[in-house]
Amino acid sequence: MNLSNGEEQLMNIIWEKGKAFMKDLLESLPEPKPAVTTVATLLKRLSDKGAIGYTVFGNSREYYPLIQKKTYFSTKVNELVKNFFNNSPSQFASFFTQETDMSQKELESLKKIIEDQLKNKTP
Amino acid sequence: MNLSNGEEQLMNIIWEKGKAFMKDLLESLPEPKPAVTTVATLLKRLSDKGAIGYTVFGNSREYYPLIQKKTYFSTKVNELVKNFFNNSPSQFASFFTQETDMSQKELESLKKIIEDQLKNKTP
DNA sequence: TTTTTTATTCTATATTTGTAGAATAACCTC
DNA sequence: GAGGTTATTCTACAAATATAGAATAAAAAA
């Protein structure tokens, strides 16, 4: 499942809200807001791709995701790791902690997560 | 700087090799190899975008990166973090360690990296 | 019930991307 | 130096993407 930029932006809103009508989407989109028809086109394409479904309510539809954010994102990350880090997650992780500006708190919470994971690996 | 898939693939080779002639690129590309003219087109586009430069040697050129892999990649990761994790690196990191299959060794090395970073943050 | 608002579909255009043939120019080899 | 080899430019075309107007249908408001 490959989504274009615009499609991704819409998906993000739909993932966040769980479900949304056209008007909700337009509301959530940042300025400068695109034309309604632009959004409609993207929704059509997302629907064609099988990324969203919808329930009809009179003249409009309530859209909802058919693919999980987690699934979609996981694929993207794995591609990145593969393409740029020779398939080595740790290489990537190291790069990541160095390049992003994580606060002490964030680093500590991450450390905890890793420790938990380690516990699971060494029972 | 936004690169298309094909452009990224070429950049990866150029980044790896540091510099490369057309024939090196063709050699490194996996089967099924694209036509020479296809590669030439991509090189032209990369050059137009300012991603690569070249030194002329007779009838051919030695291409080299003008943007660093690290810089380019850092931007990409930051976009991901922004778009999907509400700008929270730790949220992303947590997702990352859960979704990718890191070995015990990798987890430990990552833990060490984080501990080092923490040391720097709390002198 | 007439008017206004809103969502959808249909149509359309410009740009970007993947892909490569034809022509050309400059090397390399015999 | 004639002929093959290789890189570059020019041209081209199909698919994907960003963007939105016109027309239509249905709902909401007045």
Side-chain angles (χ1 to χ4, degrees):
Chain A
M1 175 81 57
N2 210 35
L3 305 180
S4 76
N5 272 5
E7 287 164 357
E8 251 183 30
Q9 194 184 22
L10 269 188
M11 278 310 284
N12 258 324
I13 301 175
I14 297 173
W15 274 323
E16 231 169 73
K17 297 196 172 299
K19 49 194 176 173
F21 288 96
M22 167 62 85
K23 93 183 158 61
D24 304 321
L25 295 171
L26 273 170
E27 235 168 57
S28 299
L29 283 164
E31 298 290 350
K33 291 190 193 301
V36 203
T37 48
T38 303
V39 179
T41 301
L42 290 174
L43 287 170
K44 182 84 177 7
R45 289 178 188 161
L46 282 171
S47 179
D48 287 348
K49 288 185 179 180
I52 59 174
Y54 53 81
T55 320
V56 175
F57 282 87
N59 75 324
S60 62
R61 303 165 176 178
E62 190 171 43
Y63 298 94
Y64 53 82
L66 286 180
I67 56 169
Q68 280 186 286
K69 177 171 177 168
K70 198 170 147 177
T71 311
Y72 174 74
F73 190 54
S74 175
T75 308
K76 284 203 84 156
V77 171
N78 279 314
E79 260 167 35
L80 270 188
V81 172
K82 189 172 131 208
N83 287 333
F84 286 87
F85 290 93
N86 215 33
N87 250 331
S88 158
S90 69
Q91 223 179 101
F92 172 80
S94 145
F95 171 88
F96 179 77
T97 60
Q98 275 154 34
E99 280 311 299
T100 59
D101 194 29
M102 288 171 82
S103 69
Q104 189 182 339
K105 218 167 156 188
E106 287 176 321
L107 282 168
E108 262 156 13
S109 95
L110 180 54
K111 191 181 149 198
K112 189 165 270 169
I113 289 162
I114 290 165
E115 277 163 356
D116 286 352
Q117 292 236 309
L118 272 169
K119 255 180 224 150
N120 289 344
K121 295 255 169 181
T122 43
Chain B
M1 175 79 58
N2 210 34
L3 305 180
S4 76
N5 271 5
E7 288 163 356
E8 252 182 30
Q9 193 184 22
L10 268 189
M11 276 311 283
N12 258 325
I13 300 175
I14 298 173
W15 274 322
E16 232 169 73
K17 297 195 173 298
K19 49 194 177 175
F21 288 96
M22 168 62 86
K23 92 184 159 64
D24 304 322
L25 295 171
L26 273 171
E27 235 167 57
S28 298
L29 283 165
E31 298 291 350
K33 292 193 192 299
V36 203
T37 48
T38 303
V39 179
T41 302
L42 290 174
L43 287 170
K44 180 83 177 9
R45 288 177 188 164
L46 281 171
S47 180
D48 287 348
K49 289 187 180 180
I52 59 174
Y54 53 81
T55 318
V56 176
F57 283 86
N59 74 325
S60 62
R61 304 165 176 178
E62 190 171 43
Y63 298 94
Y64 54 82
L66 286 180
I67 56 169
Q68 281 184 286
K69 177 170 176 167
K70 199 172 147 175
T71 311
Y72 174 73
F73 190 54
S74 175
T75 307
K76 284 203 82 155
V77 171
N78 279 313
E79 259 166 36
L80 269 189
V81 172
K82 190 172 131 208
N83 287 333
F84 286 86
F85 290 93
N86 214 35
N87 249 332
S88 157
S90 69
Q91 222 178 103
F92 172 79
S94 145
F95 172 87
F96 179 76
T97 60
Q98 275 154 34
E99 280 311 300
T100 59
D101 194 29
M102 288 171 81
S103 68
Q104 187 182 341
K105 218 167 157 187
E106 286 175 322
L107 282 168
E108 262 156 15
S109 95
L110 180 54
K111 190 181 151 198
K112 190 164 268 168
I113 289 161
I114 290 165
E115 278 163 356
D116 287 351
Q117 292 235 308
L118 272 169
K119 257 180 224 151
N120 290 344
K121 295 255 170 181
T122 43

